[in-house]
Amino acid sequence: MLLTFYILGTVSVLSALGVLVCRSPVYSAMSLVCSFFCLGGIYILMNVEFVAVIQILVYAGAILVLFLFVIMLLNIVPTGESVRFNLPVLIAFGIAVGLFAQISGLFLGDIQFGPKDVYTAEAISEEGSIGLIGRLLYGEFVLPFEAISILLLVAVIGAVIIGKRRLN
Amino acid sequence: MFMLPELIIVLTAFVVLLLDLFFAEEQKKILPVLALIGVLIAMGNVIFWMPEQGVVFGGRFVFDSLGAWFKLIFLAASGATILLSWDRLVGKVSDAGSRLEHPGEFYSILLFTLSGMMFLISARDLVTLYVSLELATIPLFVLVAWKRENAFSGEAGLKYVILGILSSAVLIYGLGILYALGGSMVLEEIGKNLSPSPAFWLATALIVAGIGFKLALVPFHMWAADVYQGAPTPITAHLSVASKSAGLALMFLLFFRVLGPAVSEWNGFLAILATITMTLGNGVAIVQQNIKRFMAFSSISQAGYLIMGFIGPFPEGMPAMIFYLLAYLFTNLLVFAVIVFYANETGAEAISDYRGLSRTNPLMALAMMIGLFSLAGIPPLSGFVGKFFLFSVASKAGLHWLVAVAAVNSTVSLYYYLRIVRQMYIEPAEENAVRLPVSPVLASTVGLTLLGTVLVGILPGFYENIAQSVAAAEWWSIGR
């Protein structure tokens, strides 16, 4: 179990680095798929199968295919420029490392993370995550759920307005 | 049914969108009327419910009198944006570059962002809060890039999208840590469970950075000038008023309902943030040549004054902040109404283009002067009264140096606001300058906002009414 986690974790971090380092956008996109699949595996290890399936279906399936389509349609060629280490990049790197150290420091402390109200880990494993997510989505959180549908409509209208070819 | 105002706005947006499909070009002129009617009905509804409190969806959506004030401000700002963009969308402008297309989509997207802002102030859990925040911001990206054939507008849209997404990412990182620490989605519960720890401070820092982007506080203000300049001018007005109020609503919810009980002393930090924001905004505004960039930096410094309302013993600063927001709403929209009028007729955006406006259009120049004086805080206009209340909040909290800094900044701001007045009144008009025609819609917008700018400062009822609403609203984080 632990070994699987380490393997998946290492591969996902390496492929995430690959997204940044690869010069060809297609390679970057494929590295991203690899990273997403590893994350899906980690989710399965955590017993949240629904999130894992969604991760594979939505991210690795739908979004990445969209990325690849855009890359192919726009016919993007590799620029040949690699990341240069000038001052802004170094500052950004420093901030990122600091943030990473901060966040990893959090998990080393003795803070109790996780839900403290009705939805504890036991309650989730009792009912199963899919049933619980469905019940919450259409019960308690129906307002944000409906708000997201409006948001998607706005996104569609906006994409049409900005992307539409001019008629004259 | 306490969600009725939001539902009316969403319904109006759908009606406008659908009717746009069936209308001929000529008939589309009534779309802004419909949008405006929806906003007015929702306003009446909010005022009708105002004294009451109500809970919908088991506490996920709360209507209280304090939220009602915020909703009125959002509604008024969006109503004014509808008026400001009216002429541009129906094609009644002399300057072809100022025309905007697709009125149906424009107004429905504007109303959708309005509904997001209204859901935001009523949200009481992290998911609703974040989703309504996105519903308020994402439509704005589209509106900023509306004139996509214009390079500035496209660039502004792209910058706004990238930095907006970045700030959302930073914010949701902070919210995620808050959820992990508090163990609940409900703001009240998180507030009770929090205690200062390194993780808590990290979450606070990320949340402040996220809010700082939304509010354009220094040092998170880099996007403001380019976005304000590139966006269509009515949308610039909307960004500087409605979007800023939504950012304050978000800050208010997160600071007072969640972070409040755990943070015993943040006055010093907020005072520093307010100081650098107003000082840098003012300092850079002095050298601006483009009036929209100028207003961007002016609004950054105004945000510096506004966050002074979060200082001091809770919730005493709140009435002062909401009152100043109300004054700022009318004042800033008044100035923008004149800017929109001038751009509609001439397409000019440089400050030097305003020379001699008092000879050709004396009434418009007078309205602009009153608006600028109110922004600078000259008595008896509403901007002065608002600043007076805000400064007294800082003074009560014992931060006398902040009052001094803010007063000096107000004086400096008078200098650059007077630059425009000088162009309008002292510089001679061009030889062949003629009187520019004022459309009835813009004339009434200027009239209404002018009335607001003057009356909010003079009528005594506003501040007391707001203070009563704040006192009546339910507070979970009283223990602060």
Side-chain angles (χ1 to χ4, degrees):
Chain A
M1 200 73 161
L2 202 61
L3 184 69
T4 333
F5 170 77
Y6 279 121
I7 294 172
L8 286 173
T10 317
V11 176
S12 85
V13 170
L14 285 180
S15 48
L17 276 176
V19 177
L20 295 176
V21 176
C22 285
R23 287 186 195 170
S24 155
V26 180
Y27 287 172
S28 284
M30 295 319 282
S31 309
L32 201 55
V33 177
C34 184
S35 177
F36 284 159
F37 266 102
C38 294
L39 278 181
I42 292 176
Y43 289 142
I44 290 177
L45 288 183
M46 291 165 71
N47 284 327
V48 280
E49 298 82 5
F50 181 70
V51 182
V53 171
I54 291 297
Q55 167 82 15
I56 305 286
L57 272 185
V58 175
Y59 280 92
I63 292 181
L64 249 299
V65 169
L66 202 67
F67 274 9
L68 288 176
F69 264 122
V70 171
I71 292 169
M72 284 197 303
L73 287 175
L74 292 181
N75 200 14
I76 299 171
V77 285
T79 51
E81 276 179 34
S82 56
V83 184
R84 289 208 198 91
F85 283 93
N86 46 18
L87 192 63
V89 171
L90 283 177
I91 292 173
F93 185 73
I95 291 174
V97 168
L99 206 59
F100 176 74
Q102 255 270 4
I103 292 168
S104 16
L106 298 185
F107 292 93
L108 299 176
D110 56 345
I111 304 164
Q112 198 70 48
F113 283 114
K116 292 190 180 72
D117 51 9
V118 255
Y119 304 111
T120 53
E122 292 79 45
I124 295 170
S125 63
E126 207 168 277
E127 191 172 341
S129 57
I130 301 180
L132 207 54
I133 288 174
R135 205 152 56 78
L136 284 177
L137 209 54
Y138 294 98
E140 234 178 281
F141 291 98
V142 72
L143 178 66
F145 183 72
E146 297 297 335
I148 285 179
S149 70
I150 300 178
L151 190 54
L152 287 177
L153 175 73
V154 171
V156 170
I157 301 173
V160 171
I161 291 290
I162 295 174
K164 195 175 84 167
R165 192 163 292 179
R166 292 188 67 82
L167 287 173
N168 55 14
Chain B
M1 191 59 204
F2 290 100
M3 229 169 77
L4 204 56
E6 284 81 1
L7 292 179
I8 291 171
I9 293 298
V10 172
L11 189 74
T12 317
F14 277 115
V15 167
V16 168
L17 189 64
L18 276 179
L19 285 181
D20 178 72
L21 200 64
F22 299 111
F23 277 3
E25 274 308 312
E26 197 54 29
Q27 288 169 306
K28 283 186 185 174
K29 285 178 182 165
I30 63 166
L31 290 176
V33 186
L34 286 176
L36 202 60
I37 289 173
V39 169
L40 288 178
I41 294 175
M43 259 178 141
N45 218 303
V46 171
I47 294 172
F48 178 74
W49 290 123
M50 205 150 169
E52 300 185 41
Q53 305 222 355
V55 176
V56 191
F57 288 121
R60 303 283 148 176
F61 182 96
V62 174
F63 183 93
D64 58 14
S65 45
L66 183 63
W69 272 107
F70 269 105
K71 286 183 190 184
L72 282 179
I73 288 170
F74 299 149
L75 283 163
S78 302
T81 311
I82 293 173
L83 287 171
L84 290 180
S85 51
W86 192 313
D87 290 330
R88 294 189 169 207
L89 281 156
V90 300
K92 274 194 212 151
V93 290
S94 312
D95 173 53
S98 296
R99 276 214 62 176
L100 292 170
E101 287 171 325
H102 314 300
E105 289 84 352
F106 186 92
Y107 285 122
S108 59
I109 291 186
L110 191 66
L111 291 173
F112 282 136
T113 160
L114 170 62
S115 75
M117 290 168 188
M118 291 168 72
F119 280 125
L120 177 73
I121 188 66
S122 283
R124 290 294 182 275
D125 67 294
L126 288 181
V127 176
T128 316
L129 183 81
Y130 184 72
V131 169
S132 28
L133 177 70
E134 289 303 309
L135 184 57
T137 22
I138 289 180
L140 288 174
F141 302 155
V142 182
L143 290 174
V144 165
W146 205 261
K147 292 179 67 59
R148 70 202 168 95
E149 67 279 4
N150 179 320
F152 281 118
S153 184
E155 186 200 335
L158 197 61
K159 273 191 180 156
Y160 198 30
V161 168
I162 293 172
L163 286 172
I165 299 288
L166 178 71
S167 69
S168 290
V170 168
L171 181 70
I172 202 163
Y173 217 140
L175 295 183
I177 297 176
L178 275 192
Y179 172 65
L181 291 174
S184 172
M185 279 289 171
V186 184
L187 300 186
E188 164 201 13
E189 294 291 326
I190 302 173
K192 278 180 193 156
N193 291 338
L194 284 180
S195 56
S197 66
F200 169 77
W201 290 115
L202 177 66
T204 310
L206 290 169
I207 287 173
V208 168
I211 294 173
F213 270 110
K214 305 276 177 220
L215 266 177
L217 300 177
V218 177
F220 310 105
H221 66 287
M222 299 80 78
W223 57 273
D226 285 342
V227 171
Y228 278 43
Q229 187 187 2
T233 316
I235 297 304
T236 311
H238 192 259
L239 284 179
S240 71
V241 179
S243 170
K244 205 148 273 211
S245 324
L248 281 174
L250 174 72
M251 185 169 175
F252 159 73
L253 280 177
L254 288 175
F255 270 46
F256 282 143
R257 295 215 186 273
V258 186
L259 305 175
V263 185
S264 50
E265 196 56 56
W266 63 34
N267 282 353
F269 167 71
L270 275 178
I272 293 169
L273 204 61
T275 307
I276 55 173
T277 302
M278 60 179 105
T279 312
L280 194 126
N282 273 334
V284 183
I286 292 176
V287 295
Q288 295 305 315
Q289 298 305 325
N290 179 296
I291 189 119
K292 279 156 86 179
R293 289 185 85 85
F294 172 84
M295 289 307 288
F297 286 105
S298 146
S299 81
I300 288 173
S301 70
Q302 300 285 342
Y305 300 128
L306 277 167
I307 58 170
M308 286 168 72
F310 287 98
I311 290 170
F314 173 79
E316 275 173 29
M318 288 319 291
M321 192 194 83
I322 297 176
F323 182 83
Y324 192 67
L325 202 54
L326 201 65
Y328 173 70
L329 165 98
F330 286 117
T331 308
N332 217 39
L333 285 172
L334 171 61
V335 173
F336 265 106
V338 180
I339 295 175
V340 168
F341 146 77
Y342 202 62
N344 277 358
E345 297 306 321
T346 61
E349 281 178 6
I351 289 177
S352 55
D353 289 330
Y354 283 78
R355 64 175 174 277
L357 188 66
S358 66
R359 318 283 193 285
T360 53
N361 291 64
L363 282 176
M364 281 303 200
L366 182 68
M368 180 92 155
M369 186 174 77
I370 292 175
L372 292 170
F373 278 172
S374 179
L375 277 179
I378 303 257
L381 298 164
S382 57
F384 165 74
V385 187
K387 271 185 187 161
F388 176 78
F389 286 133
L390 275 177
F391 291 5
S392 60
V393 168
S395 162
K396 261 185 218 155
L399 294 164
H400 298 293
W401 64 270
L402 181 63
V403 180
V405 168
V408 168
N409 264 306
S410 294
T411 320
V412 172
S413 75
L414 185 61
Y415 164 74
Y416 63 73
Y417 289 127
L418 277 175
R419 267 177 70 207
I420 301 178
V421 176
R422 174 170 160 265
Q423 290 290 342
M424 293 191 304
Y425 278 88
I426 295 174
E427 297 287 319
E430 285 191 37
E431 300 247 322
N432 49 1
V434 288
R435 187 180 175 280
L436 300 167
V438 186
S439 78
V441 178
L442 273 182
S444 46
T445 317
V446 169
L448 281 174
T449 46
L450 184 61
L451 208 63
T453 307
V454 177
L455 286 187
V456 169
I458 294 173
L459 294 182
F462 280 103
Y463 185 77
E464 280 155 27
N465 208 324
I466 295 172
Q468 279 168 8
S469 303
V470 173
E474 49 169 329
W475 294 110
W476 289 317
S477 35
I478 296 289
R480 182 169 121 68

